[in-house]
């Protein structure tokens, strides 16, 4: 299987505490790449202006970066020199990718996990594989924490997505493993699917001071419930909603956006952003599955935009003044959020019943598909570990 380690494998997750200027060598299948945060374009979010002043700008990337944090949808073995990641996500897909390559910096992290005596002593094969899986996630996450200045988001097993207590227990286990190898909790996020049980787990974990990253958000009800739970990061997949809308019908939320002449994904990000900022929730909003530059222009002002390297390179290569080609206008801002009107039905205190009744077919189908993908990847990792365990010299 050819694995590119794309999507969420290396998404920067915001304005993180700087922990020095880490640099190090990462062995690519073809060459060694120097990781240096100094080569990453200066990125920040503006809160004071509604458009870019008529000043010299090096590129479209500079222009859009003055409104939102533009983060590279990059990978472990991609071009760090052009767009080095500032934070990372360790996931089942990342573990699969590491296992598929013959020589990577992170190979030893997995080999160390497979040689762990605590896991070795587990008599139940399924518990042993689960132990190996957790150790591998944390070992790779710890390596990533030394390579990026920001937070590392660790994927929580999607097989637990409908069990609040199991999610919390798993996060505590992962946090304990990170603590044992001295990765501080402020450097960590835990990536949890936005089922009701996942949202409730986020609420309880955040009350303990544990930072969560809720993913698979495809409806306003999920976004609002996640914000009420106090999730640190809420991730919406713009392009996936658009893809669903092109091939399906019958979702009230998407049809309402269509009647207004709006793209379904952009409309959801806009509404969620306005809700978060109008009602003072602490969550930061991340727009993912960006398909083109227009998606970025339409979302300027959202906290984070994850963009593929191809789009970032196009923005970087476009040398222009704002008034020559595009009007770089902030579409989303805390002040404009105050003017947004929500219905009484949208301002409820979300619970399991109201969330279930408000989620349309798009959110239900896309959430299910996302969970199935994560579960299949986790099973493949454990299957692979079962085949290669024990490693040499163990």
């Amino acid at each position: 299987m050819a694995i590119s380690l794309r999507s969420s494998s290396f998404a920067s997750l915001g304005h993180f505490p700087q922990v020095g200027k880490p640099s190090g060598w990462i062995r690519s299948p073809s060459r060694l790449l120097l990781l240096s945060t100094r080569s990453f374009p200066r990125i920040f979010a503006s809160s004071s202006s509604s458009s870019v002043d008529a000043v010299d700008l090096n590129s479209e990337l500079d222009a859009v970066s003055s409104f939102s944090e533009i983060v590279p949808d990059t990978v472990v073995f991609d071009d760090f020199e052009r767009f080095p990641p500032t934070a990372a996500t360790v996931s089942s897909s990342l573990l699969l990718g590491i296992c598929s390559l013959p020589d990577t910096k992170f190979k030893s992290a997995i080999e160390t996990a497979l040689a762990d005596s605590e896991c070795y002593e587990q008599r139940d094969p399924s518990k042993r594989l689960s132990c190996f899986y957790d150790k591998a996630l944390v070992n790779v996450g710890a390596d990533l924490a030394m390579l990026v200045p920001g937070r590392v988001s660790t994927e929580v097993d999607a097989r637990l997505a409908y069990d609040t207590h199991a999610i919390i227990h798993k996060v505590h286990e992962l946090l304990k493993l990170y603590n044992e190898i001295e990765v501080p909790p402020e450097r960590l996020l835990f990536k949890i699917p936005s089922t009701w049980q996942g949202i409730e787990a986020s609420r309880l974990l955040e009350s303990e001071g544990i930072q969560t990253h809720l993913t698979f958000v495809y409806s306003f009800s999920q976004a609002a419930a996640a914000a009420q739970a106090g999730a640190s990061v809420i991730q919406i997949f713009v392009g996936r909603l658009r893809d669903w809308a092109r091939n399906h019908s019958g979702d009230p939320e998407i049809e309402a956006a269509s009647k207004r002449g709006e793209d379904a994904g952009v409309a959801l990000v806009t509404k969620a952003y306005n809700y978060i900022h109008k009602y003072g929730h602490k969550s930061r909003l991340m727009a993912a599955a960006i398909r083109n530059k227009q998606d970025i222009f339409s979302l300027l002002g959202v906290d984070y935009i994850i963009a593929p390297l191809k789009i970032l390179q196009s923005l970087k290569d476009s040398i222009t003044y704002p008034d020559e080609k595009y009007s770089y206008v902030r579409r989303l801002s805390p002040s404009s959020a105050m003017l947004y009107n929500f219905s009484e039905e949208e301002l409820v205190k979300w619970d399991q019943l109201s969330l279930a009744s408000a989620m349309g077919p798009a959110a239900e189908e896309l959430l299910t598909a996302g969970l199935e993908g994560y579960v299949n990847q986790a099973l493949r990792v454990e299957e692979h570990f079962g085949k290669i365990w024990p490693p040499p010299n163990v």
Side-chain angles (χ1 to χ4, degrees), residues 138 142 145-146 175-188:
V138 169
M146 291 188 290
L175 195 57
K176 180 175 180 291
L177 293 177
Y178 273 117
N179 182 61
E180 290 173 356
I181 51 180
E182 299 182 346
V183 180
E186 60 267 20
R187 295 292 312 282
L188 301 170

Side-chain angles (χ1 to χ4, degrees), residues 188-200:
L188 301 170
L189 285 158
F190 293 94
K191 192 173 185 180
I192 300 170
S194 293
T195 58
W196 168 253
Q197 292 80 3
I199 293 169
E200 182 67 2

Side-chain angles (χ1 to χ4, degrees), residues 133-358:
Y133 181 84
D134 288 349
K135 294 274 187 177
L137 281 175
V138 169
N139 288 351
V140 173
D143 282 354
L144 293 175
M146 291 188 290
L147 294 173
V148 299
R151 290 177 290 186
V152 173
S153 185
T154 303
E155 178 185 299
V156 176
D157 195 332
R159 288 169 289 189
L160 309 177
Y162 292 98
D163 188 332
T164 297
H165 296 296
I167 292 170
I168 293 172
H169 181 68
K170 178 61 68 177
V171 169
H172 285 161
E173 287 183 335
L174 294 170
L175 195 57
K176 180 175 180 291
L177 293 177
Y178 273 117
N179 182 61
E180 290 173 356
I181 51 180
E182 299 182 346
V183 180
E186 60 267 20
R187 295 292 312 282
L188 301 170
L189 285 158
F190 293 94
K191 192 173 185 180
I192 300 170
S194 293
T195 58
W196 168 253
Q197 292 80 3
I199 293 169
E200 182 67 2
S202 172
R203 182 183 69 80
L204 295 169
L205 290 165
E206 292 281 352
S207 72
E208 299 177 32
I210 299 171
Q211 300 173 106
T212 60
H213 169 189
L214 283 174
T215 189
F216 297 148
V217 173
Y218 296 107
S219 66
F220 174 74
S221 56
Q222 286 176 290
Q228 289 180 4
S232 295
V233 176
I234 299 171
Q235 186 172 358
I236 295 176
F237 294 88
V238 176
R240 294 184 191 176
L241 272 168
R242 179 182 306 143
D243 295 342
W244 191 95
R246 285 174 176 168
N247 299 295
H248 303 82
S249 61
D251 187 288
E253 197 168 334
I254 289 178
E255 291 180 353
S258 179
K259 288 179 180 178
R260 297 191 301 266
E262 299 174 357
D263 173 83
V266 172
L268 178 56
V269 172
T270 300
K271 192 171 187 178
Y273 177 94
N274 289 334
Y275 179 82
I276 289 168
H277 287 271
K278 183 168 184 174
Y279 296 105
H281 297 290
K282 75 168 190 177
S283 304
R284 308 300 295 275
L285 192 61
M286 175 183 290
I290 297 300
R291 302 288 195 234
N292 50 58
K293 290 198 293 187
Q294 187 56 51
D295 283 345
I296 294 178
F297 299 144
S298 299
L299 294 170
L300 290 181
V302 72
D303 300 298
Y304 317 121
I305 300 176
I306 303 177
L309 295 185
K310 183 177 181 180
I311 294 176
L312 290 183
Q313 191 63 52
S314 176
L315 290 168
K316 188 176 181 181
D317 291 342
S318 298
I319 309 301
T320 181
Y321 292 95
D323 56 357
E324 289 179 344
K325 192 171 183 181
Y326 295 106
S327 175
Y328 297 98
V329 176
R330 180 166 188 164
R331 308 292 181 180
L332 304 174
S333 69
S335 57
S336 63
M338 296 301 172
L339 304 176
Y340 196 93
N341 293 318
F342 293 89
S343 68
E344 291 184 7
E345 292 79 10
E346 293 168 335
L347 296 179
V348 300
K349 175 64 177 176
W350 293 95
D351 57 23
Q352 185 171 7
L353 181 60
S354 59
L355 179 69
S357 62

